[in-house]
């Protein structure tokens, strides 16, 4: 994602992802209700995996704290301390995220209460969520918003250094892609997702995971609902090739993970 907060940054272009988060909020709330009412948690570990560097990640945290606070108040239990882990790839703009923290803590103190604000410990965890990020039994709640559809790598056989370019003029699965391209994406997804599902030892027993990522209703992997934006991008890149601004070889060799 683009760094900082200028016009082309993720921070200034993440309202669609905020809409997606809004759809998933009730599921997070349900997970928190079950967690908070099942045991008396003293220190709640929560991880946003693929948090990026926009405002969405801190807004979700703020809403989570509201739900936990309300639930604990209802049950007559003390509010736990919050260990909040913000994860993304090493290249993520963590500086931008950390620079937003003073204003965030100030708002917490003003709008919630000082005790809650001083029991909120936020840290950055750089690395891929396809590998181990946390010690065993660290987390009570883990959530992914608009991040888990990214594969761990470009599918095997479609890498830029492959001897033959199988998906010429395209950057993702497309109506005109050969079956070998569809198979490569499918195999990479299955390898990544099944590996990911096996790595749940980072959660405490009874911990909750909320996954929200792109899907499709059609069984056709090249259906417009799943691929349209990538078709448009490929067309735009192709017109740059025709104008001589991009080498055709570069477009032919590129496939998005
Ligand atoms: C579209 S952004 C979503 C950000 C945020 N969750 C939101 O809803 O606004 C997707 C993020 O997932 C991150 N991501 C993709 N693959 C990842 C991986 N393997 N490990 C950690 N983060 C990853 C990207 O770097 C990017 O910042």
């Amino acid at each position: 994602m683009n760094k900082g907060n200028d016009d082309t940054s993720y921070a200034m272009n993440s309202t669609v992802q905020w809409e997606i988060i809004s759809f998933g909020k009730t599921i997070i709330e349900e997970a928190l209700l079950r967690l908070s009412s099942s045991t008396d948690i003293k220190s709640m570990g929560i991880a946003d995996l693929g948090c990026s560097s926009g405002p969405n990640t801190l807004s979700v945290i703020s809403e989570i704290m509201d739900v936990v606070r309300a639930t604990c108040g209802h049950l007559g239990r003390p509010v736990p301390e919050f260990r909040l882990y913000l994860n993304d790839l090493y290249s993520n703009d963590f500086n931008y995220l950390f620079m937003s923290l003073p204003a965030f803590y100030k708002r917490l103190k003003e709008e919630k209460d000082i005790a809650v604000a001083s029991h909120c410990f936020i840290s950055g965890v750089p690395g891929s969520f396809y590998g181990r990020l946390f010690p065993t039994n660290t987390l009570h709640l883990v959530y992914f918003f608009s991040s888990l559809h990214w594969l761990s790598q470009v599918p095997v056989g479609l890498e830029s250094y492959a001897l033959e370019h199988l998906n010429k003029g395209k950057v993702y699965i497309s109506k005109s892609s050969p079956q070998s391209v569809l198979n490569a994406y499918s195999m990479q997804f299955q390898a990544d997702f099944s590996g990911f599902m096996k790595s749940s030892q980072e959660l405490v027993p009874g911990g909750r995971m909320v996954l929200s990522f792109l899907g499709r209703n059609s069984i056709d992997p090249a259906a417009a609902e799943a691929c349209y934006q990538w078709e448009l991008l490929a067309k735009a890149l192709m017109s740059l090739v025709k104008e001589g601004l991009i080498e055709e070889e570069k477009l032919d060799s590129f496939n998005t993970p």
Side-chain angles (χ1 to χ4, degrees):
M1 302 298 123
N2 277 353
K3 300 174 192 300
N5 63 346
D6 71 11
D7 287 352
T8 59
S9 63
Y10 183 72
M12 297 298 276
N13 292 277
S14 45
T15 46
V16 171
Q17 286 80 0
W18 180 249
E19 295 279 317
I20 295 171
I21 290 171
S22 305
F23 283 124
K25 258 195 245 166
T26 46
I27 300 170
I28 291 260
E29 280 169 20
E30 198 181 309
L32 286 168
L33 279 177
R34 283 175 191 244
L35 267 174
S36 311
S37 45
S38 58
T39 44
D40 188 5
I41 299 167
K42 301 260 177 303
S43 176
M44 188 178 273
I46 300 176
D48 180 347
L49 300 189
C51 64
S52 202
S53 58
N56 295 352
T57 183
L58 296 180
S59 302
V60 174
I61 287 178
S62 177
E63 302 209 359
I64 284 178
M65 292 175 89
D66 285 343
V67 174
V68 176
R69 226 158 52 112
T71 312
C72 290
H74 187 66
L75 296 169
R77 286 187 182 155
V79 180
E81 62 179 27
F82 294 93
R83 287 176 284 116
L84 300 151
Y85 303 101
L86 307 182
N87 155 260
D88 209 296
L89 297 171
Y90 296 108
S91 52
N92 186 52
D93 189 359
F94 284 102
N95 281 339
Y96 177 79
L97 209 49
F98 294 159
M99 291 301 284
S100 325
L101 287 179
F104 175 74
Y105 283 124
K106 187 164 174 269
R107 258 203 329 277
L108 277 191
K109 279 190 189 130
E110 285 164 3
E111 292 169 15
K112 308 203 191 298
D113 67 56
I114 306 234
V116 170
S118 58
H119 288 89
C120 167
F121 304 96
I122 300 182
S123 37
V125 179
S128 171
F129 51 60
Y130 285 115
R132 276 297 294 271
L133 292 168
F134 303 96
T136 306
N137 286 354
T138 307
L139 303 169
H140 295 84
L141 174 69
V142 174
Y143 53 90
F144 296 78
F145 280 115
S146 303
S147 54
L148 198 53
H149 57 282
W150 291 102
L151 300 170
S152 66
Q153 59 165 81
V154 172
V156 174
L158 301 182
E159 302 96 335
S160 54
Y161 53 77
L163 291 179
E164 191 191 352
H165 301 321
L166 300 174
N167 206 19
K168 287 188 177 167
K170 301 293 171 190
V171 293
Y172 182 62
I173 295 170
S174 151
K175 286 266 179 234
S176 61
S177 298
Q179 187 61 39
S180 53
V181 169
L182 274 54
N183 293 346
Y185 271 99
S186 172
M187 281 164 68
Q188 189 63 50
F189 172 75
Q190 290 189 27
D192 284 347
F193 201 67
S194 52
F196 159 77
M197 291 306 274
K198 283 185 199 132
S199 67
S200 53
Q201 64 267 46
E202 296 168 340
L203 284 174
V204 299
R208 302 268 149 178
M209 236 199 281
V210 176
L211 316 180
S212 159
F213 58 115
L214 282 179
R216 58 183 147 78
N217 289 315
S218 162
I219 55 163
D220 174 12
E225 60 179 323
C227 304
Y228 186 59
Q229 56 184 331
W230 298 105
E231 286 287 358
L232 289 181
L233 188 57
K235 276 190 183 148
L237 291 170
M238 187 50 96
S239 64
L240 293 176
V241 167
K242 291 205 176 108
E243 287 175 41
L245 295 168
I246 290 182
E247 290 165 39
E248 191 161 11
E249 156 73 14
K250 282 197 174 150
L251 174 58
D252 288 347
S253 64
F254 177 79
N255 288 292
T256 183

